[in-house]
Amino acid sequence: MAVSIRDVAERAGVSVGTVSNVLNKPDRVSEAVATRVSDAIRELGYVRNDAARQLRAGRSSSVGLVVLDARNPFFTDVARGAEDAAAEHGVAVLLGDSDEKPEREAAYLDLFEEQRVRGVLVSPLGDIRDRLQRLRALGAPVVLVDRMAEDSSLSSVSVDDVAGGRTAVAHLLETGRRRIAFVGGPLGLRQVADRLAGAQHAVAAVPDAQLEVLEGSALSVSEGRRMGEQLVARDPAERPDAVFTANDLLAVGLLQALVMRGGVRVPDDIALIGFDDIDFASATIVPLSSLRQPSRLIGQTALGILLEEADDPTLAPRQVVFQPELVIRESSAG
Amino acid sequence: MAVSIRDVAERAGVSVGTVSNVLNKPDRVSEAVATRVSDAIRELGYVRNDAARQLRAGRSSSVGLVVLDARNPFFTDVARGAEDAAAEHGVAVLLGDSDEKPEREAAYLDLFEEQRVRGVLVSPLGDIRDRLQRLRALGAPVVLVDRMAEDSSLSSVSVDDVAGGRTAVAHLLETGRRRIAFVGGPLGLRQVADRLAGAQHAVAAVPDAQLEVLEGSALSVSEGRRMGEQLVARDPAERPDAVFTANDLLAVGLLQALVMRGGVRVPDDIALIGFDDIDFASATIVPLSSLRQPSRLIGQTALGILLEEADDPTLAPRQVVFQPELVIRESSAG
DNA sequence: TCTCCTCGTTGAAACGATTCATTACCCTTC
DNA sequence: GAAGGGTAATGAATCGTTTCAACGAGGAGA
């Protein structure tokens, strides 16, 4: 059924080795033979079998990317950056969405191992250091995305989340707010923990400021809505006067609950700032202040490092850290 | 370097065939041998080589999915639905983002062909009927997503875009609007053309109603912003009194431009309705009316059909069409 | 005419898993 | 004790490609 290189060789009256050369090293082959082979390929509708190539080569020409949540525009932007860089190098990106579930993350890593991918980009969820070391040992470099490596045995491309958290809350404090709430979770996620740590630094620097931590279970719009309803259910006097959410999706959900169901005025009653500065941030009911990450650049950079390490496994791991940028809009004005 | 099944066999003191049986047909193997082999696998850190499996099996255990725009929440929801269904069947989904570029679409289809995927889900961009027929001939069934098949030689899962367009514009007309604008593009995209056709039907049914078509080049937020600025630049008397956009991303961008830069009141000056009902639609400056598509269900259904056809190639192609549902919010109220 | 090069082509080996016909072994049963 | 039957394990063949040592033809130089 399937047309193989052998059929092409027969049709063109040459050996299989020659067909392979036409495909992979055209300069080693005479022009007459090359056109004869190309014709045969076209006539038979031959398509290379990637599995056989990979088997022979010992590795695939794809790289794997596992993101925490493909519905989060931040990660789709990262993915797009990675794809841009990959396309330049003729490499394909296999995208896996762990959906913040450790078992899905593990399943994708298994898949990538079995596929013998060239390397893996991952925004890790659980504690998978062992897995990642193993991948490295297997010859597939690993680059952490959106999270700095704890030890220096792995490369990473991330944003300074602590600085971002500090900047966000310092901004809220500057506008006169004192009863700050941090909304985000799970705190097991490094990004969340770091942004919270930054927030705590900022609050500690101002004597009469206080910080309340509301830990949620996911970084999604619906979770934000849920947290917002909790706030709305409180006596108004018990509510914070400013909220910093761990990302923009939470902020969007929170905003829906506060403004539309709770009748809370933003920013008058409660100021709000998010993280990521996704495209939608400027289009929300009340345009959202946020910390911008260079998401596409993160993806590009990470893939570049990955390919460099794949080519030269002796390279020392690198940690690249970008600084987030404060974008002030109406939700935290005055 | 790499540990193969042969190393495992040696370590466990059995033949390679037996190791393979432990992995694939555990019931054919005695318990004693099974544990001995499992131990060897663990000790050596053996990982299956998928390329070799595929080569032998003649096909991979993945399916391909090409979406028009991975940044559009509608498509990430479709993708997630497909992944849900795939996970149940132990199949992996390779996600490709054509980014509305025909060459990227072609590149992903090439990749999927070479990978000998079990089948392909695609929301087609250019005219790729030949490619798809070829895939089918190669043994990989194809299911069109978000677009009905023109002929009945392919299966498809879609939404009735004509009905959706008609419903949207009929709703605008009911609220008293008469000078309707359709914003969307490129018109070469079937979904866009169909939604426009529906809009035209609705307008044709009301004597003094008129429809203006503003064709854009992409279905993105930034393109929506650009179109919005064009409207804002007009003399207010020359503006439409209602806009139907081909999807919600356009509507979000349009809203930003109209309200924030143009000082236009929505819905008072211009009513607005989008398509898809993405999560963000209810969180925009002015909550957005839209037509809801069962996006996740579309993905699940498409993948289900794909796997059925992969198992039994003689099955007749099926066309599943869902009906979109009108969701009225503030942007088109009264 | 003979030797030496070069260039183009050949064909067999190898990659690692699965499959299946064959073999080995043990237990019944007569 | 021999024959028969059932279960487990074996190992060679196979998938489709790439690689590389070997080969052959044709030309240049002596």
Side-chain angles (χ1 to χ4, degrees):
Chain A
M1 181 158 198
V3 179
S4 84
I5 205 176
R6 186 157 276 111
D7 303 311
V8 174
E10 196 176 334
R11 173 91 168 210
V14 298
S15 74
V16 291
T18 299
V19 176
S20 175
N21 281 335
V22 171
L23 257 28
N24 302 303
K25 325 202 166 139
D27 45 325
R28 299 262 163 102
V29 138
S30 73
E31 205 167 323
V33 170
T35 56
R36 201 139 44 91
V37 169
S38 304
D39 288 349
I41 288 178
R42 206 169 318 113
E43 287 160 19
L44 296 174
Y46 166 74
V47 176
R48 259 186 186 158
N49 184 322
D50 202 47
R53 297 191 79 189
Q54 281 187 36
L55 175 57
R56 185 68 236 257
R59 60 174 181 169
S60 103
S61 65
S62 314
V63 303
L65 165 59
V66 188
V67 300
L68 279 178
D69 177 12
R71 300 182 57 172
N72 184 336
F74 168 71
F75 285 112
T76 56
D77 284 351
V78 170
R80 194 160 273 189
E83 282 183 353
D84 289 344
E88 271 179 32
H89 292 84
V91 166
V93 177
L94 306 179
L95 179 59
D97 177 7
S98 69
D99 198 12
E100 296 189 14
K101 299 197 182 90
E103 64 275 13
R104 281 231 181 174
E105 176 177 63
Y108 274 112
L109 291 177
D110 285 345
L111 180 67
F112 293 158
E113 271 191 8
E114 295 191 357
Q115 303 244 46
R116 299 289 192 275
V117 293
R118 272 267 250 296
V120 174
L121 299 181
V122 55
S123 56
L125 177 58
D127 182 7
I128 49 172
R129 256 174 302 178
D130 295 349
R131 292 297 305 265
L132 301 183
Q133 294 295 356
R134 175 173 160 175
L135 270 164
R136 245 194 113 86
L138 233 145
V142 174
V143 176
L144 299 187
V145 171
D146 195 37
R147 166 157 162 189
M148 175 133 155
E150 279 119 4
D151 44 38
S152 54
S153 68
L154 289 178
S155 289
S156 63
V157 178
S158 57
V159 150
D160 189 338
D161 285 312
V162 177
R166 193 188 303 119
T167 305
V169 171
H171 163 64
L172 295 175
L173 293 168
E174 269 167 32
T175 63
R177 314 287 169 162
R178 285 298 176 270
R179 304 176 48 231
I180 316 286
F182 173 85
V183 169
L187 291 176
L189 283 181
R190 184 59 168 274
Q191 295 91 319
V192 177
D194 282 359
R195 288 167 198 176
L196 171 57
Q200 286 165 332
H201 288 181
V203 165
V206 174
D208 57 338
Q210 9 170 321
L211 183 71
E212 178 188 6
V213 177
L214 300 172
E215 181 177 6
S217 60
L219 297 168
S220 62
V221 173
S222 59
E223 182 68 7
R225 226 177 268 140
R226 209 176 61 80
M227 304 296 280
E229 278 157 15
Q230 279 185 21
L231 284 183
V232 164
R234 291 190 189 177
D235 184 285
E238 300 292 319
R239 294 177 191 157
D241 60 9
V243 176
F244 167 42
T245 60
N247 79 355
D248 281 353
L249 295 185
L250 282 173
V252 165
L254 204 75
L255 202 56
Q256 288 179 321
L258 292 182
V259 174
M260 305 180 61
R261 302 212 195 170
V264 175
R265 292 170 305 160
V266 174
D268 310 19
D269 301 330
I270 301 182
L272 183 59
I273 186 167
F275 209 108
D276 290 347
D277 193 36
I278 60 179
D279 258 2
F280 297 99
S282 61
T284 46
I285 311 181
V286 180
L288 199 61
S289 298
S290 194
L291 279 124
R292 176 177 301 162
Q293 306 197 57
S295 37
R296 199 150 177 162
L297 183 59
I298 289 175
Q300 289 170 348
T301 308
L303 199 111
I305 293 180
L306 190 72
L307 291 183
E308 281 176 27
E309 292 192 1
D311 286 345
D312 180 1
T314 66
L315 279 177
R318 259 181 295 168
Q319 274 85 36
V320 176
V321 178
F322 291 105
Q323 287 302 319
E325 179 194 348
L326 179 63
V327 179
I328 301 176
R329 296 200 184 85
E330 202 181 319
S331 75
S332 70
Chain B
M1 181 160 197
V3 180
S4 84
I5 204 175
R6 187 157 276 111
D7 303 311
V8 174
E10 197 175 333
R11 173 91 165 209
V14 298
S15 73
V16 292
T18 301
V19 176
S20 174
N21 280 335
V22 171
L23 257 26
N24 303 301
K25 323 199 167 140
D27 46 324
R28 297 263 164 100
V29 137
S30 73
E31 206 166 323
V33 170
T35 57
R36 201 138 45 89
V37 169
S38 303
D39 288 348
I41 288 178
R42 207 170 316 113
E43 288 160 19
L44 296 174
Y46 164 75
V47 177
R48 257 188 188 153
N49 185 322
D50 203 47
R53 297 190 79 190
Q54 281 188 37
L55 174 57
R56 186 67 237 260
R59 59 171 182 171
S60 104
S61 64
S62 315
V63 303
L65 166 59
V66 188
V67 299
L68 278 178
D69 177 11
R71 300 181 57 173
N72 185 336
F74 167 71
F75 284 113
T76 57
D77 283 351
V78 170
R80 195 159 273 188
E83 282 184 353
D84 289 345
E88 270 179 33
H89 292 84
V91 166
V93 176
L94 306 179
L95 179 59
D97 177 8
S98 69
D99 198 12
E100 297 188 14
K101 299 197 181 88
E103 65 275 14
R104 281 228 182 177
E105 175 177 63
Y108 275 111
L109 291 178
D110 284 345
L111 180 68
F112 292 158
E113 270 191 8
E114 294 191 357
Q115 303 244 45
R116 300 287 194 274
V117 294
R118 273 267 250 294
V120 174
L121 300 180
V122 55
S123 56
L125 177 56
D127 183 7
I128 49 173
R129 256 174 303 177
D130 295 351
R131 293 295 307 265
L132 300 183
Q133 294 295 356
R134 176 172 160 178
L135 269 165
R136 245 194 112 88
L138 232 145
V142 174
V143 177
L144 298 187
V145 172
D146 194 37
R147 167 157 160 189
M148 177 135 156
E150 278 121 5
D151 44 38
S152 53
S153 69
L154 289 177
S155 287
S156 63
V157 178
S158 58
V159 150
D160 189 337
D161 285 311
V162 176
R166 193 188 303 119
T167 305
V169 171
H171 163 64
L172 294 175
L173 293 168
E174 270 167 32
T175 64
R177 313 288 169 161
R178 285 298 176 271
R179 302 176 47 232
I180 317 284
F182 173 84
V183 170
L187 290 177
L189 283 181
R190 184 58 169 273
Q191 294 92 320
V192 177
D194 282 359
R195 289 168 198 175
L196 171 57
Q200 286 165 330
H201 288 182
V203 165
V206 174
D208 58 338
Q210 10 169 322
L211 183 71
E212 177 188 7
V213 178
L214 300 172
E215 181 176 7
S217 61
L219 297 167
S220 62
V221 174
S222 59
E223 181 69 6
R225 226 177 269 140
R226 208 176 63 78
M227 304 297 280
E229 278 157 15
Q230 281 186 20
L231 285 183
V232 165
R234 292 190 189 176
D235 184 286
E238 300 293 319
R239 294 177 191 155
D241 60 8
V243 176
F244 167 42
T245 61
N247 79 356
D248 281 353
L249 295 185
L250 283 173
V252 165
L254 202 76
L255 202 56
Q256 288 179 322
L258 292 183
V259 174
M260 304 181 60
R261 303 210 193 171
V264 174
R265 291 171 305 159
V266 174
D268 309 17
D269 299 331
I270 301 183
L272 183 58
I273 187 166
F275 209 109
D276 289 348
D277 192 37
I278 61 179
D279 258 2
F280 297 99
S282 61
T284 46
I285 312 182
V286 180
L288 199 62
S289 297
S290 194
L291 279 125
R292 175 176 302 162
Q293 306 198 56
S295 37
R296 198 153 179 159
L297 183 58
I298 290 175
Q300 288 172 347
T301 308
L303 199 112
I305 292 179
L306 190 71
L307 291 184
E308 279 176 29
E309 291 191 1
D311 286 344
D312 180 1
T314 65
L315 279 177
R318 261 181 293 168
Q319 274 86 35
V320 176
V321 178
F322 292 105
Q323 287 302 319
E325 179 194 347
L326 179 64
V327 178
I328 301 176
R329 297 202 183 84
E330 203 181 318
S331 74
S332 70

